[in-house]
Structures are given as C-alpha cells and as structure tokens.
C-alpha cells in the first residue's frame, strides 16, 4: 500500500523522495482517503481541505501501511471508496488498537467484501476483469466507472499514471489476500451507495451494509461531486 500526502504543491510520479518526506504534517486534523483499485494520487491532487491534511492510500498489492505518516494528528477522519473500502476495513482495526484518533469512517461505493456474489463484485466479473485486462478493457472499465462521456473525459485529464502490468499485479494481490483473509467485523459509521454504480451493484452494497446506516445518492461509481463535498 502506498500513502501520499497531498498539498497545494503538485506531486508527480517523477518525485523520487522517500514517501514519508514528500510533504510534512502541517495540520492537527487528517483526512485519510483509501482510493479504489488502479488509482494513484493524480485524480485527487486538486483537493485542498481547509485546516486539514489529506493523505491518499492506493495500490493494494499488500496491506502494509506506513504508520509514520499518520503520527501526531489530533483527529483522523477516514473515507474509503470502491476497493479501498475493503483495504481500509482490513487495516483500520489495528490502527484503532494502536490508539490512533480515528473519529469517523465513511464508505463510498464499495464494501468490505471485494469478491462476493452477494455483497461485493461477483467472482465471475472479477475474474473476467483480471483475465482480459488490457489498455482497451481498462478504458471500458473507466467509462463504466464514470458513467458519462463528460465525466469520463474529465477523469482522463487527471488519470492515474500506472501501467497495465502494475494494475494486473494489484488485482492478483487483491484476489490472493481476499481468498486467505476474511472481512473483519469493523464497524463503519456510514456508507454512500451510488444508485447508478455499475461496478459494485446497488443491491450487493445494500446487503453488505444491512447493519450500517447508508444513503443512496444520485451518482455513478466515481462520485466526483461527493468527493468534492467530503474531502474539504
């Protein structure tokens, strides 16, 4: 897992500094955002929360989290999107046990069950994505994720800078980890479900969040307007 702290200074993939020194802690409050599969920091560089730092987590080839970046904050608000919901659910209990000041945890268009016919992405669909992954199928996936030509083109303007083999490695790792480690009993405070989500189907999300307060929103899988509202 990679963590990147976002600041008004634009971060690019050309930065060669150690992760923990990219941008020093500058506020007492932190927004910790677990992005989805295939992401990096690029789609979220323009978010500049007022009075809070923003750290983006991505690349779930492992679930090792560099806690040094989280040290020293008075309050940590957690938001997780898509496959990031599963990744967050796997690492947050340990953070809570280590007394990190996590105040709220919000899930967005994802579930703690990454490969699940009833509560996540159906196994056949996940396998098909992995088996056929290419530049062409990735483009189709991103279009389904965005749901409209305008949002798709907007996403492409700030698309992640990762290659197909890197994304394939991440999918393989998610499949392997999910098959050996079950979802935790971690309790989320709330969940948002996009009624036009074509990645994590609405009914599967509803089943996954049967014991959690959730809100149905008018959004596709990539809910940019909700991100703008929450990551501020």
């Amino acid at each position: 897992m990679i963590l990147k702290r976002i600041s008004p200074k634009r971060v690019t993939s050309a930065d060669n500094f150690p992760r923990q020194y990219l941008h020093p802690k500058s506020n007492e409050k932190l927004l910790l955002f677990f992005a989805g599969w295939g992401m990096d920091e690029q789609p979220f560089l323009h978010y500049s929360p007022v009075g809070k730092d923003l750290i983006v987590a991505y690349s779930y080839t492992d679930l090792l989290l560099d806690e040094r970046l989280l040290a020293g904050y008075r309050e940590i608000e957690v938001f997780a999107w898509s496959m990031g919901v599963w990744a967050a659910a796997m690492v947050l209990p340990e953070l809570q046990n280590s007394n990190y000041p996590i105040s709220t945890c919000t899930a967005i268009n994802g579930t703690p069950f990454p490969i699940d016919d009833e509560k996540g992405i159906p196994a056949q669909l996940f396998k098909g994505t992995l088996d056929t992954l290419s530049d062409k199928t990735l483009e189709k996936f991103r279009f389904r994720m965005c749901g409209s030509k305008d949002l798709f083109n907007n996403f492409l303007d700030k698309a992640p800078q990762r290659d197909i083999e890197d994304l394939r490695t991440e999918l393989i790792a998610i499949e392997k980890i999910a098959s050996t480690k079950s979802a935790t009993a971690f309790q989320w405070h709330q969940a948002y479900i996009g009624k036009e989500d074509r990645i994590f189907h609405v009914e599967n999300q509803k089943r996954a969040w049967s014991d959690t307060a959730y809100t149905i929103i008018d959004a596709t899988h990539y809910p940019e307007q909700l991100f703008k509202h929450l990551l501020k």
Side-chain angles (χ1 to χ4, degrees):
M1 184 184 302
I2 295 175
L3 300 184
K4 287 285 181 70
R5 182 177 285 119
I6 307 300
S7 81
K9 172 184 175 294
R10 187 172 179 81
V11 182
T12 72
S13 59
D15 289 330
N16 293 316
F17 301 106
R19 288 203 302 270
Q20 63 269 29
Y21 297 120
L22 272 173
H23 302 295
K25 169 183 171 294
S26 57
N27 292 286
E28 295 301 315
K29 295 183 179 181
L30 170 67
L31 299 183
L32 176 57
F33 177 61
F34 290 81
W37 164 73
M39 294 295 118
D40 63 12
E41 76 276 16
Q42 295 297 321
F44 313 103
L45 289 176
H46 59 293
Y47 295 112
S48 298
V50 176
K52 303 174 184 178
D53 287 350
L54 171 62
I55 289 180
V56 177
Y58 62 90
S59 188
Y60 307 124
T61 53
D62 61 55
L63 295 180
L64 302 176
L65 187 150
D66 187 351
E67 295 184 21
R68 291 173 294 178
L69 282 174
L70 308 181
Y73 287 102
R74 181 166 53 85
E75 179 183 356
I76 299 176
E77 297 176 65
V78 175
F79 298 93
W81 166 54
S82 190
M83 198 61 74
V85 175
W86 162 74
M90 298 298 283
V91 302
L92 288 176
E94 184 174 342
L95 291 180
Q96 288 185 320
N97 291 338
S98 298
N99 294 317
Y100 280 89
I102 297 173
S103 62
T104 185
C105 300
T106 301
I108 305 163
N109 284 345
T111 77
F113 310 93
I115 309 172
D116 190 289
D117 291 346
E118 297 294 321
K119 297 181 179 181
I121 295 177
Q124 193 68 23
L125 181 58
F126 187 96
K127 184 177 186 301
T129 302
L130 176 57
D131 290 348
T132 64
L133 188 62
S134 66
D135 288 325
K136 184 176 181 179
T137 60
L138 177 62
E139 182 176 338
K140 290 181 179 179
F141 174 87
R142 287 174 170 173
F143 188 86
R144 290 174 61 238
M145 178 184 80
C146 294
S148 72
K149 186 175 181 180
D150 287 345
L151 188 55
F152 175 63
N153 288 334
N154 182 48
F155 176 80
L156 291 184
D157 287 340
K158 48 184 181 289
Q161 298 178 2
R162 298 174 59 188
D163 62 35
I164 287 295
E165 288 310 310
D166 188 20
L167 301 188
R168 190 191 318 278
T169 297
E170 184 180 4
L171 274 183
I172 292 171
I174 290 170
E175 182 180 46
K176 181 178 180 180
I177 297 170
S179 67
T180 57
K181 295 182 179 180
S182 60
T184 68
F186 178 77
Q187 183 61 52
W188 294 80
H189 294 94
Q190 62 178 334
Y192 288 96
I193 301 174
K195 66 180 182 180
E196 302 298 329
D197 195 329
R198 298 173 61 193
I199 305 301
F200 277 84
H201 294 164
V202 173
E203 293 305 317
N204 283 20
Q205 291 189 61
K206 288 180 179 179
R207 280 188 284 268
W209 299 121
S210 59
D211 296 323
T212 301
Y214 64 78
T215 302
I216 305 293
I217 59 173
D218 185 12
T220 60
H221 184 68
Y222 177 64
E224 187 168 45
Q225 292 303 314
L226 181 61
F227 291 157
K228 290 178 180 179
H229 173 70
L230 295 176
L231 303 179
K232 66 178 184 179

